[in-house]
Amino acid sequence: MSDKLHLSPEDDFPEDLSVVPDQDLQVLDSQVQRQLDYEYVVEGEPNPETEFRHFDLDEEFQERDAR
């Protein structure tokens, strides 16, 4: 897992979130959320890739809650 505080749209992102351990998933979620915040402040709107990643992470968290 990256030591970066944010995950830009150009950075690697796992294709299958179901295999990512819980702690790493939480770090990934934090990185994507920080990137979203940055994009809203600096660019005025989020990058579509960042939005898709945020949505995918939310879905994975919901799926894990159901297990």
Side-chain angles (χ1 to χ4, degrees):
M1 192 60 42
S2 172
D3 291 334
K4 292 174 61 174
L5 294 178
H6 69 281
L7 191 70
S8 73
E10 296 79 26
D11 291 331
D12 289 336
F13 189 79
E15 287 187 34
D16 184 3
L17 293 174
S18 69
V19 299
V20 177
D22 288 348
Q23 187 172 5
D24 290 343
L25 191 69
Q26 290 170 350
V27 169
L28 193 59
D29 183 56
S30 178
Q31 290 171 322
V32 169
Q33 185 60 54
R34 286 177 183 273
Q35 181 66 25
L36 269 177
D37 293 345
Y38 170 81
E39 290 171 4
Y40 275 116
V41 170
V42 174
E43 300 169 12
E45 64 184 10
N47 182 295
E49 181 63 26
T50 305
E51 282 188 308
F52 292 134
R53 290 174 175 188
H54 187 252
F55 178 77
D56 288 346
L57 285 160
D58 283 348
E59 279 191 328
E60 181 60 28
F61 279 119
Q62 289 175 0
E63 180 67 29
R64 289 184 188 200
D65 281 345
R67 291 184 204 155

